[in-house]
Amino acid sequence: MEGENKKYITSEELKEHNKPGDLWISIQGKVYNVSNWAKEHPGGEVPLLNLAGQDVTDAFIAYHPGSAWKYLDPFFTGYHLRDFKVSEVSKDYRKLVSEFVKMGLFEKKEHVTLFTLTSVSIMFAVVVYGVVGCTSVWAHFASALLLGLLWMQSTYVGHDSGHYEVMSSRGYNKLAQILCGNCMTGISIAWWKWTHNAHHISCNSLDHDPDLQHIPVFAVSTRFFDSIKSCFYGRQLQFDSLSRFLISYQHLTFYPVLCFARVNLYLQTLLLLFSRRKVPDRAMNIMGILVFWTWFPLLISCLPNWGERFMFVLASFAACSIQHLQFCLNHFAADVYEGPPNGNDWFQKQASGTLDISCSSWMDWFFGGLQFQLEHHLFPRLPRAQLRKVSPLVIDLCKKHNLPYRSLTFIEANLRTLKTLRTAALQARTHSSPQNLLWEAFNTHG
């Protein structure tokens, strides 16, 4: 009798509610209207817009703990999805998540954060002593390299705390984000959340994933040569004469550009924090950035001359570029697509858009767990200490459903990424481009 009183809409009707102000989604076949709440979504409005008008059950399960289900009721429209179906892949994926919950894996964070924060504190003290207390240029050079490693480890804590609580409370977790992100690295956690959530939801979508949109410097696909529109930035990614020139040699400039990648991240941070966009905890983020731009220039000023100061900055940036390289290796050589993500093939899109880096367990600290990129994308709330343990289960699931699971050594991943860049570079040389917009390199916020 209860089933007879249910109201239904079809998937096609649901698709009509896919824009700001009219944003509906389906979870487990129940339809929710989140139009007025989208801007209050802790993960930002972008993930909801990217998945608007479709079933998002797998994405919801991936990003939310079981306690989040009770908050859905106020948004229920009263409608159910008439043609709601669950694929065999999704059934197995949800079963795997359920098993992890029963095993308590999402709560078993071990002491990774404590050890990392302790190592960051020790490294920072050594860096300060090496600069202030030593006169040897080699001590200064070693301090710069250590600072780069410090930034990498601090970023991992910021990344982890953005996906799940690494501290004892939400307040302490936010403090860890600001300290490890803004204060220590100079990169805003607000900027990271804004772009990173979009990246996870739209993994390797050329027009929706900001982590692939590096025109005019890099292009991982020739489809960028058609000046596609970025749905994330809301503007055309113009493939002009400058883009054509730079991309024609991207396989040669790849590593040198990565050495200066932090400059772009600093710029992106400032552009966001001082933009008109709604930025959560804007004041706290700005204060954290001010802390970084106080201690870092002050530390550099303690060096005896401008030559050593230049060397120190360049060496620290170059050392940290290994982390930027890792992020590129995880996705640049994987499969890409155009258009918004499809909630019905969540597992498939994550599998095709990621590439793991195989390494020994003693190197897990160096890669921050992100060498298990597919595992992280499928279970973003899973503490990094558990990623190696669940990897065999993910491999088995990929084999069962004939989905790609790519795990390469660090060298192999570099070679495949360079091959991808070179292929696009050679094709860029024969592609005509109509205009030249120098500001395109920096004007990512309109």
Side-chain angles (χ1 to χ4, degrees), residues 15 30 41 48 52 60-62 80 95 115 141 160 166 171 192 196 219 230 244 254 293 311 360 446:
K15 287 180 181 179
K30 297 179 70 174
H41 180 225
L48 288 174
F60 183 85
I61 290 174
H80 293 76
K95 182 180 178 181
F115 293 151
F141 179 71
D160 291 348
V166 300
W192 176 84
H196 197 67
S230 167
R244 178 187 175 189
F254 179 57
W293 288 110
M311 174 273 295
S360 301

Side-chain angles (χ1 to χ4, degrees), residues 359-416:
C359 68
S360 301
S361 58
W362 65 272
M363 284 292 289
D364 287 355
W365 70 274
F366 184 79
F367 290 107
L370 297 183
Q371 73 274 27
F372 295 107
Q373 191 68 191
L374 175 55
E375 291 79 358
H376 169 61
H377 268 253
L378 292 174
F379 314 103
R381 294 187 301 107
L382 194 66
R384 64 166 122 153
Q386 307 301 329
L387 293 175
R388 183 174 288 274
K389 299 175 185 177
V390 306
S391 182
L393 299 176
V394 174
I395 294 174
D396 290 342
L397 193 54
C398 287
K399 287 181 179 178
K400 177 180 178 181
H401 296 283
N402 196 28
L403 294 172
Y405 182 91
R406 288 164 293 216
S407 181
L408 306 177
T409 66
F410 187 73
I411 299 298
E412 290 171 340
N414 273 270
L415 293 176
R416 178 173 291 195

Side-chain angles (χ1 to χ4, degrees), residues 196-268:
H196 197 67
N197 288 341
H199 159 68
H200 266 267
I201 290 294
S202 308
C203 179
N204 271 33
S205 167
L206 296 176
D207 51 348
H208 284 74
D209 185 353
D211 283 9
L212 290 188
Q213 298 171 0
H214 302 296
I215 296 289
V217 183
F218 297 137
V220 298
S221 170
T222 57
R223 278 176 271 184
F224 279 118
F225 301 168
D226 296 326
S227 297
I228 63 176
K229 181 179 180 180
S230 167
C231 295
F232 180 80
Y233 293 119
R235 64 176 180 84
Q236 294 292 130
L237 301 174
Q238 294 288 354
F239 183 75
D240 53 31
S241 56
L242 173 63
S243 302
R244 178 187 175 189
F245 174 76
L246 294 176
I247 291 171
S248 294
Y249 301 96
Q250 63 179 357
H251 56 300
L252 302 177
T253 61
F254 179 57
Y255 295 113
V257 167
L258 289 183
C259 290
F260 297 94
R262 297 193 71 79
V263 176
N264 178 55
L265 300 186
Y266 295 148
L267 178 62
Q268 299 304 315

Side-chain angles (χ1 to χ4, degrees), residues 317-379:
F317 281 17
C320 193
S321 69
I322 298 175
Q323 187 175 65
H324 305 310
L325 172 62
Q326 179 189 351
F327 297 154
C328 294
L329 299 183
N330 289 142
H331 295 284
F332 273 24
D335 299 339
V336 298
Y337 67 99
E338 277 189 77
N342 188 335
N344 293 325
D345 61 1
W346 169 262
F347 194 106
Q348 295 92 318
K349 280 293 192 293
Q350 305 301 324
S352 64
T354 56
L355 190 152
D356 283 13
I357 307 296
S358 62
C359 68
S360 301
S361 58
W362 65 272
M363 284 292 289
D364 287 355
W365 70 274
F366 184 79
F367 290 107
L370 297 183
Q371 73 274 27
F372 295 107
Q373 191 68 191
L374 175 55
E375 291 79 358
H376 169 61
H377 268 253
L378 292 174
F379 314 103

Side-chain angles (χ1 to χ4, degrees), residues 48 63 96 130-131 156 182-183 233 269 274 300 309 332 338 387 399 433:
L48 288 174
Y63 280 96
L96 205 54
V131 172
Y156 291 142
N182 300 48
C183 297
Y233 293 119
T269 284
F274 294 98
I300 296 172
R309 291 166 189 163
F332 273 24
E338 277 189 77
L387 293 175
K399 287 181 179 178
S433 51

Side-chain angles (χ1 to χ4, degrees), residues 21-227:
D22 184 17
L23 203 167
W24 291 18
I25 57 175
S26 164
I27 300 176
Q28 288 284 47
K30 297 179 70 174
V31 179
Y32 300 92
N33 182 352
V34 294
S35 304
N36 298 325
W37 181 77
K39 292 186 178 180
E40 307 301 323
H41 180 225
E45 184 181 20
V46 173
L48 288 174
L49 288 173
N50 287 349
L51 290 171
Q54 54 183 312
D55 185 81
V56 300
T57 305
D58 286 343
F60 183 85
I61 290 174
Y63 280 96
H64 302 83
S67 58
W69 289 88
K70 62 184 178 183
Y71 297 107
L72 292 174
D73 290 343
F75 306 107
F76 182 46
T77 62
Y79 289 105
H80 293 76
L81 207 56
R82 183 178 299 278
D83 48 353
F84 173 68
K85 295 179 181 179
V86 183
S87 68
E88 293 302 314
V89 179
S90 289
K91 288 179 182 178
D92 285 343
Y93 169 65
R94 296 171 193 181
K95 182 180 178 181
L96 205 54
V97 173
S98 180
E99 290 178 1
F100 292 169
V101 171
K102 292 177 182 178
M103 295 167 63
L105 295 186
F106 291 102
E107 308 303 324
K108 294 181 179 179
K109 301 161 189 171
E110 299 185 3
H111 301 293
V112 173
T113 302
L114 176 62
F115 293 151
T116 305
L117 289 176
T118 300
S119 67
V120 167
S121 300
I122 293 173
M123 284 190 287
F124 188 71
V126 173
V127 168
V128 172
Y129 176 77
V131 172
V132 178
C134 299
T135 58
S136 169
V137 65
W138 292 109
H140 297 161
F141 179 71
S143 297
L145 298 180
L146 187 61
L147 179 59
L149 180 61
L150 180 158
W151 282 335
M152 290 174 60
Q153 295 301 314
S154 188
T155 298
Y156 291 142
V157 175
H159 174 270
D160 291 348
S161 63
H163 279 294
Y164 55 88
E165 288 190 11
V166 300
M167 308 299 282
S168 58
S169 70
R170 182 172 297 181
Y172 284 126
N173 198 67
K174 183 177 292 186
L175 179 62
Q177 293 174 355
I178 298 295
L179 288 177
C180 294
N182 300 48
C183 297
M184 192 58 69
T185 71
I187 300 170
S188 168
I189 191 67
W191 171 84
W192 176 84
K193 285 183 177 180
W194 178 51
T195 60
H196 197 67
N197 288 341
H199 159 68
H200 266 267
I201 290 294
S202 308
C203 179
N204 271 33
S205 167
L206 296 176
D207 51 348
H208 284 74
D209 185 353
D211 283 9
L212 290 188
Q213 298 171 0
H214 302 296
I215 296 289
V217 183
F218 297 137
V220 298
S221 170
T222 57
R223 278 176 271 184
F224 279 118
F225 301 168
D226 296 326
S227 297

